[in-house]
Amino acid sequence: MSSTALPKILIVDDMPANLTALKALLENLEAVIIQAGSGNEALSLTLEHEFAVVLMDVQMPEMDGFETAELMRMNQTTRHVPIIFVTAISKEQQHIFKGYEAGAVDYIFKPLDPHIIRNKVLIFIELFNHKQTIEQKRLELKEANQTILEQQKALVEEERLKVMLQLAGAAAHELSQPLMVLLANLEMLELEKEDHSRVMALLPKVQNAGESIAKTVKKIQNVRYDVTISHDAKTRIIDLNQDIHILLVDASDGAYKIIKAYCSKYDHLNLDRVATVKNALPALQKKAFDIILLEYDLPDGTGIELLEKLNNEKINIPVVAITGKGDEEIASRFIQAGAIDYLPKTKINSKRLFEAISTAIEKFKLKKEMNQSIKKMAEKSITDQLTGLYNRNYMDGVLTREIDRAKRYENSLCCLIMDLDHFKNINDTYGHLCGDFILQKFSALLLSLKRKSDYIFRYGGEEFICLIPQTDLKGALQFAERIRSQCQEKEFVYQKNTIHITVSIGVSSFDDMEKKRQGAALIDNADKALYEAKTEGRNCVKVFAR
């Protein structure tokens, strides 16, 4: 530990001999000792340094220890610094109470017992170190949280840019033909402006082109950005000719006729209907619907019961509740069960119904995108971006969990550390992009060989770790040898270059572990075995042996 990182102790006394004696008692502690000869000097030093503890004489000229302590407590920066009074007098109870009221945490009376004073100071040094560790962790968590927020923002911006590009492509694709017709006919009008009959013949064509453009603009305003179609062999664009498929769950023929009439005013709204909870699920499994309009009262149950069934079956479709019972209690129950919106039948018209459908679909899309962003962020936090394997940070938690499970159920647990041989030569010969390609393909090989219960991590650079639960040393050796042989046989083809690589593997088992070190020992032992494999010629498997 460097001196700049050591905790600091302030000793305050107006007698130099006392300062020298006190410093001698504390000099072997892992701390920096700073001296002050008066209360004023002590106050000045507490503003310049962060102290683990202050040892202060009570009786000093000009400003005694009590006054100094009170002034420290009044300052926001120094109010929490622990103060121990060191005194040869003022042992009366009233003086002791006064010291505690001034902010002292303890009293030490002279003559000083070296053992007592060192132990008390050590406690505050330890507390200070713990506080510093906690503060460091807090800053690291804050920094990590900021990184996650920035990554999440970048993901959202990336998705938004994709949507904008797709929408631009869709708009250009849909608008190009009517625009060309419009421009061509406007040019003809300019040429034939003197011929009235020709102008009148061209006007309907201009009008049709304008209406086609207006219709496309309306589509863009109501477009769902998650529906795409193939544009060419490599790209997809947003489909502007989107139909919205609606399932009405309602036993009332009258309500069905009204809602059907409202939907018929919009070309892209397609309405299907079932009358019962029982028939709703088969209908949803048979056909892809974009939204459900759901009545509360149904012959074989309630709309809320159907919502619960949808949740249990993990059928994710936006739901708008429509019912003649327009009270707030039912509306609240629908929303709590997962409905996006609620419309009483008495307040529905074609415009309001269309707005509710559009809003519900958009809300559902945004919720889906948010969940996808959260999922992506979670995946990024535990996976290596190059290889797609779990990363080293995630390994720590898995290792602890698997060791606890192995101890609890007395199961076997083995660890493999793998290192690609002469990997630097690949980077130097073929370039780092080729090196990345090799790492990706080797990772894919590992994933193809592992069991579902195994964990594979990119440990760093060209090193990989595999944790193999419920596998003894014999099984781990067989697995390691299978990895080694298949890696040796595999041809890695990069830009017409056929590259062969080999891998060295170290193996350790849970039984080899030092009990106190737990996970660290399992990794260290495998690493020692890997070192042995490297020194004995590479392209081999070695087991840790004590």
Side-chain angles (χ1 to χ4, degrees):
M1 182 181 289
S2 64
S3 61
T4 55
L6 291 173
K8 297 174 182 177
I9 301 171
L10 177 63
I11 54 177
V12 188
D13 199 307
D14 63 311
M15 301 290 292
N18 291 342
L19 288 174
T20 301
L22 194 53
K23 184 177 180 181
L25 290 175
L26 303 174
E27 63 181 356
N28 291 328
L29 299 179
E30 290 191 10
V32 176
I33 310 297
I34 297 178
Q35 304 176 63
S38 67
N40 284 323
E41 186 181 358
L43 290 175
S44 177
L45 288 169
T46 57
L47 295 176
E48 296 176 18
H49 305 275
E50 186 177 7
F51 290 104
V53 63
V54 175
L55 287 86
M56 184 156 44
D57 186 29
V58 172
Q59 285 198 325
M60 293 184 291
E62 297 182 4
M63 183 188 300
D64 63 23
F66 297 145
E67 292 175 289
T68 306
E70 286 174 356
L71 289 172
M72 286 179 63
R73 288 292 171 266
M74 292 170 63
N75 188 294
Q76 192 68 28
T77 304
T78 59
R79 62 184 303 180
H80 296 299
V81 178
I83 300 170
I84 298 176
F85 281 131
V86 182
T87 182
I89 56 174
S90 303
K91 297 183 181 181
E92 295 86 355
Q93 198 171 41
Q94 60 180 5
H95 292 297
I96 294 173
F97 286 153
K98 184 178 179 181
Y100 286 127
E101 287 175 359
V105 296
D106 206 349
Y107 257 90
I108 298 178
F109 297 106
K110 298 177 181 178
L112 301 176
D113 185 319
H115 181 71
I116 291 176
I117 194 167
R118 285 175 61 84
N119 282 339
K120 288 190 175 185
V121 170
L122 276 171
I123 290 171
F124 289 106
I125 289 175
E126 186 176 347
L127 287 172
F128 180 83
N129 287 334
H130 282 316
K131 188 180 97 172
Q132 295 298 97
T133 302
I134 291 169
E135 178 62 16
Q136 180 63 31
K137 292 294 183 184
R138 185 189 70 80
L139 292 174
E140 289 174 2
L141 286 171
K142 183 179 179 182
E143 184 177 344
N145 186 53
Q146 184 62 34
T147 301
I148 288 172
L149 289 174
E150 289 173 0
Q151 290 175 343
Q152 189 173 28
K153 184 179 178 182
L155 281 172
V156 171
E157 290 300 321
E158 181 183 341
E159 293 301 319
R160 186 179 298 170
L161 180 58
K162 286 179 182 177
V163 167
M164 288 175 65
L165 291 172
Q166 287 179 339
L167 185 56
H173 178 74
E174 192 82 6
L175 289 171
S176 59
Q177 185 177 355
L179 277 172
M180 288 176 65
V181 172
L182 180 62
L183 291 171
N185 281 285
L186 287 174
E187 189 175 342
M188 290 293 292
L189 280 174
E190 181 65 25
L191 293 173
E192 303 289 348
K193 60 184 178 181
E194 302 299 332
D195 187 338
H196 179 71
S197 60
R198 289 288 294 161
V199 169
M200 295 304 294
L202 290 169
L203 281 178
K205 295 180 180 179
V206 174
Q207 184 177 358
N208 288 337
E211 288 175 353
S212 179
I213 292 170
K215 189 175 181 180
T216 300
V217 171
K218 187 175 181 180
K219 288 180 184 178
I220 293 171
Q221 290 172 337
N222 297 305
V223 74
R224 285 175 292 145
Y225 304 134
D226 55 331
V227 180
T228 62
I229 56 174
S230 295
H231 177 56
D232 53 39
K234 296 182 179 179
T235 61
R236 297 182 66 83
I237 62 172
I238 291 172
D239 182 9
L240 298 183
N241 298 303
Q242 298 170 9
D243 286 339
I244 296 177
H245 297 281
I246 306 164
L247 178 64
L248 173 65
V249 185
D250 196 327
S252 170
D253 292 333
Y256 170 60
K257 290 177 182 178
I258 292 171
I259 292 173
K260 187 173 179 63
Y262 290 153
C263 290
S264 66
K265 294 184 179 182
Y266 300 90
D267 294 339
H268 60 297
L269 297 186
N270 297 313
L271 183 70
D272 287 24
R273 174 214 180 189
V274 295
T276 63
V277 172
K278 180 181 178 181
N279 293 334
L281 289 176
L284 290 166
Q285 292 165 353
K286 185 177 179 182
K287 182 176 178 180
F289 289 96
D290 300 301
I291 191 166
I292 299 172
L293 303 180
L294 183 57
E295 165 66 88
Y296 177 77
D297 285 319
L298 298 169
D300 58 343
T302 67
I304 291 174
E305 290 173 353
L306 176 57
L307 263 176
E308 291 171 350
K309 287 180 181 291
L310 295 178
N311 292 333
N312 292 335
E313 295 289 331
K314 301 190 184 303
I315 299 174
N316 295 317
I317 299 176
V319 173
V320 174
I322 298 180
T323 177
K325 295 185 176 182
D327 60 276
E328 293 181 358
E329 181 184 349
I330 289 179
S332 175
R333 289 173 61 193
F334 260 121
I335 299 300
Q336 288 175 6
I340 287 181
D341 203 354
Y342 172 85
L343 287 174
K345 287 180 181 177
T346 54
K347 296 182 180 180
I348 294 177
N349 55 42
S350 60
K351 182 180 178 182
R352 187 167 183 186
L353 179 64
F354 178 73
E355 288 175 350
I357 290 171
S358 300
T359 302
I361 290 174
E362 183 64 17
K363 282 183 179 178
F364 182 75
K365 179 183 75 70
L366 290 173
K367 182 179 178 181
K368 186 177 178 181
E369 288 177 352
M370 182 183 70
N371 290 336
Q372 287 173 342
S373 293
I374 292 171
K375 184 179 179 181
K376 284 183 181 179
M377 290 305 304
E379 289 173 352
K380 279 194 171 185
S381 69
I382 66 172
T383 57
D384 173 63
Q385 296 305 300
L386 176 65
T387 63
L389 302 178
Y390 291 127
N391 61 26
R392 187 167 180 171
N393 289 335
Y394 184 58
M395 184 187 74
D396 295 336
V398 173
L399 184 59
T400 301
R401 185 171 68 245
E402 289 302 323
I403 284 177
D404 288 344
R405 183 177 290 136
K407 291 191 321 192
R408 187 182 308 116
Y409 300 108
E410 298 184 354
N411 290 331
S412 300
L413 174 66
C414 288
C415 173
L416 275 60
I417 293 188
M418 298 158 275
D419 186 276
L420 297 180
D421 298 325
H422 304 296
F423 187 73
K424 184 177 182 299
N425 293 344
I426 293 173
N427 283 330
D428 292 343
T429 305
Y430 302 103
H432 287 277
L433 289 178
C434 178
D436 290 347
F437 170 80
I438 297 292
L439 292 173
Q440 290 170 336
K441 292 302 180 182
F442 180 72
S443 299
L445 174 65
L446 294 178
L447 290 173
S448 70
L449 295 175
K450 84 175 193 70
R451 303 172 305 173
K452 189 175 181 180
S453 59
D454 299 336
Y455 296 91
I456 299 181
F457 310 88
R458 186 181 179 194
Y459 194 51
E462 66 272 20
E463 281 193 331
F464 301 83
I465 282 182
C466 183
L467 291 179
I468 318 173
Q470 299 181 24
T471 302
D472 59 16
L473 201 54
K474 180 180 178 181
L477 278 169
Q478 291 174 345
F479 180 48
E481 181 58 34
R482 191 157 67 250
I483 293 171
R484 187 205 64 77
S485 62
Q486 291 206 21
C487 178
Q488 182 182 22
E489 294 168 6
K490 187 174 178 62
E491 292 185 343
F492 297 86
V493 180
Y494 180 78
Q495 294 182 351
K496 299 181 180 180
N497 295 305
T498 300
I499 303 167
H500 290 88
I501 62 170
T502 59
V503 62
S504 300
I505 305 175
V507 183
S508 67
S509 70
F510 178 70
D511 296 334
D512 296 330
M513 264 177 28
E514 299 171 26
K515 291 182 180 179
K516 291 182 180 179
R517 296 180 63 202
Q518 298 190 353
L522 188 66
I523 302 296
D524 287 347
N525 292 344
D527 198 39
K528 290 173 183 175
L530 173 65
Y531 178 77
E532 185 181 352
K534 288 286 189 182
T535 55
E536 292 194 11
R538 297 180 171 84
N539 190 24
C540 60
V541 178
K542 291 294 179 180
V543 181
F544 172 76
R546 294 185 182 280

